[in-house]
């Protein structure tokens, strides 16, 4: 509960602040009693006391304990406090009894937990998101790329789906699982991503360009492996890749278009210039020189650039940040749509 090695020894407070929802599974009769009286004698009960997050319980106990009047009084009190119960189920129990008290099946609990994040703010809208790096081949075994992990784009795709959108994720080479209920299109090069994006965005309402697309590609892609020569240097001629997000935003009937600006200096000013130059509706800017929020990190902090204002979102997990970004994107989308 209190770790002397941790900063300020307040790990339970950090956990309480971190959570969007707290799901207790299994929730025993004893824990439900602790929660009812506001006990803080262990890590779990202390987190529940300190958190503003929604609390959900998946009860699990003997049928006699569940039917006991004390437990039922606790259930009534917890329900009045907007603490939600999922279950219990009925059936055979470990002790041999049959009746209510079994914990719901884990898959059912997981689906129920996922449903708690569905806001509906993008219900019926089609959202296309690009994510990850691109690879620009030199020959069959070498390529030019960058350090993008795709984590931010994948988190945004999940948040968009949770908001009710029909979501298509166009991703470069990454080792991430496909978000639930998201249509995934895998690509390799910037040209592949451009072709997939232009096809997908023809019917979309919102286009979010979170991918770290290579600005340049080799002029010549060798069909055989380039052999090491006698010289200590190698010259590679590069040519610009087509700008995907600018191409989407240049369409006559363009979708609401969101760009990303990953910068190492002058973050806000460079992002605002990008907003104007590429005819974007929003730009999400982040400082990749900060290793705590740069490529491959699990956290991020960004500044959302509007045509007439800015909004800074402090460092948090990419999952939490994605949820907040989708809320801001949906708000501005609906505002412009009238």
């Amino acid at each position: 509960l209190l770790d002397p090695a941790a900063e300020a020894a307040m790990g339970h407070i950090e956990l309480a602040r971190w959570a969007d929802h707290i799901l207790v599974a299994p929730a025993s009769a004893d824990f439900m009693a602790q929660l009812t009286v506001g006990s803080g004698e262990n890590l779990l009960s202390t987190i529940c006391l300190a958190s503003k997050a929604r609390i959900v319980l998946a009860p699990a106990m003997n049928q006699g304990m569940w039917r006991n009047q004390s437990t039922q009084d606790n259930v009534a009190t917890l329900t009045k406090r907007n603490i939600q119960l999922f279950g219990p189920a009925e059936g055979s129990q470990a002790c041999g009894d049959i009746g209510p008290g079994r914990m719901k099946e884990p898959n059912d609990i997981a689906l129920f937990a996922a449903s708690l994040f569905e806001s509906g703010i993008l219900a019926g809208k089609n959202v296309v998101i690009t994510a990850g790096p691109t690879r620009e081949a030199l020959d069959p075994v070498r390529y030019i790329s960058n350090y993008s992990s795709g984590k931010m784009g994948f988190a945004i795709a999940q948040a968009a789906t949770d908001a009710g959108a029909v979501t298509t994720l166009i991703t470069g080479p990454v080792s991430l699982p496909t978000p639930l209920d998201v249509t995934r299109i895998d690509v390799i090069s910037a040209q592949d991503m451009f072709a997939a994006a232009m096809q997908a965005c023809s019917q979309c309402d919102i286009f979010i360009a979170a991918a770290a697309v290579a600005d340049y590609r080799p002029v010549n892609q060798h069909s055989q492996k380039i052999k090491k020569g006698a010289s200590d240097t190698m010259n590679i001629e590069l040519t610009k890749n087509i700008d995907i997000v600018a191409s989407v935003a240049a369409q006559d009937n363009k979708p609401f278009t969101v760009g990303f600006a990953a910068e190492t200096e002058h973050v806000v000013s460079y992002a605002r210039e990008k907003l104007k130059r590429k005819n974007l509706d929003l730009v999400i800017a982040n400082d990749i020189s900060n290793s705590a929020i740069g490529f491959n990190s699990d956290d991020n902090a960004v500044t959302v650039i509007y045509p007439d204002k800015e909004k800074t979102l402090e460092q948090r997990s990419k999952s939490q940040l994605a949820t907040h970004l989708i809320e801001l994107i949906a708000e501005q989308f609906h505002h412009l749509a009238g």
Side-chain angles (χ1 to χ4, degrees):
L1 178 61
L2 298 173
D3 180 4
E7 183 178 357
M10 292 295 173
H12 62 293
I13 300 300
E14 287 304 313
L15 284 172
R17 290 172 179 164
W18 170 83
D20 293 308
H21 302 295
I22 296 174
L23 168 66
V24 182
S28 66
D30 181 64
F31 174 73
M32 291 171 64
Q34 292 180 45
L35 196 59
T36 302
V37 300
S39 170
E41 63 188 47
N42 54 46
L43 180 62
L44 178 57
S45 60
T46 305
I47 290 171
C48 290
L49 276 177
S51 181
K52 295 179 181 179
R54 177 190 294 183
I55 297 175
V56 179
L57 309 179
M61 63 197 73
N62 169 267
Q63 56 86 25
M65 291 182 182
W66 174 253
R67 289 186 168 120
N68 186 278
Q69 190 59 51
S70 293
T71 301
Q72 290 304 304
D73 288 346
N74 291 339
V75 167
T77 299
L78 294 172
T79 302
K80 287 179 182 178
R81 295 177 188 167
N82 293 321
I83 292 174
Q84 193 165 358
L85 273 67
F86 184 58
E90 294 200 25
S92 59
Q93 301 176 339
C95 61
D97 285 356
I98 297 175
R102 283 175 56 93
M103 189 179 78
K104 289 278 193 177
E105 292 299 315
N107 283 345
D108 294 332
I109 294 172
L111 290 172
F112 177 78
S115 73
L116 299 177
F117 292 88
E118 296 175 359
S119 65
I121 55 177
L122 289 177
K125 302 302 178 184
N126 286 281
V127 177
V128 174
I129 299 161
T130 64
T134 64
R135 292 178 180 174
E136 312 305 323
L138 290 167
D139 63 23
V141 296
R142 301 181 182 93
Y143 56 83
I144 298 170
S145 191
N146 57 61
Y147 293 110
S148 173
S149 65
K151 291 177 182 178
M152 191 71 251
F154 273 61
I156 292 172
Q158 186 63 72
T161 301
D162 293 341
V166 176
T167 307
T168 300
L169 176 64
I170 302 169
T171 178
V174 297
S175 55
L176 296 172
T178 305
L180 187 66
D181 295 328
V182 170
T183 298
R184 176 172 175 167
I185 300 172
D186 287 288
V187 298
I188 302 294
S189 69
Q191 291 175 303
D192 296 337
M193 185 171 284
F194 170 76
M198 295 308 291
Q199 181 175 355
C201 80
S202 62
Q203 301 297 323
C204 80
D205 300 291
I206 299 173
F207 183 86
I208 304 172
V213 182
D215 293 323
Y216 294 87
R217 69 180 186 275
V219 171
N220 297 313
Q221 180 180 336
H222 296 264
S223 60
Q224 302 297 325
K225 179 183 175 183
I226 303 170
K227 303 302 291 182
K228 181 165 55 176
S231 174
D232 291 334
T233 61
M234 174 188 286
N235 295 320
I236 301 171
E237 186 179 3
L238 303 176
T239 186
K240 270 189 178 181
N241 275 319
I242 193 165
D243 192 316
I244 296 173
V245 70
S247 299
V248 170
Q251 296 178 97
D252 291 335
N253 190 25
K254 81 177 184 76
F256 183 91
T257 310
V258 181
F260 268 69
E263 305 289 352
T264 57
E265 60 178 354
H266 309 303
V267 175
V268 172
S269 60
Y270 284 165
R272 185 161 294 284
E273 186 274 332
K274 185 174 187 177
L275 178 83
K276 295 177 181 178
R277 174 168 47 87
K278 298 188 179 185
N279 190 34
L280 306 180
D281 296 293
L282 287 178
V283 168
I284 299 164
N286 66 307
D287 183 357
I288 57 173
S289 67
N290 182 347
S291 60
I293 58 173
F295 285 146
N296 281 306
S297 64
D298 291 322
D299 289 0
N300 206 350
V302 302
T303 300
V304 181
I305 310 295
Y306 296 76
D308 58 347
K309 62 181 179 179
E310 301 160 9
K311 185 176 181 66
T312 298
L313 304 181
E314 301 297 336
Q315 182 173 338
R316 65 199 73 182
S317 74
K318 287 182 176 177
S319 176
Q320 289 179 310
L321 182 64
T323 299
H324 200 164
L325 286 174
I326 285 295
E327 290 172 357
L328 296 179
I329 290 168
E331 180 182 51
Q332 186 70 354
F333 169 77
H334 291 303
H335 171 71
L336 294 180

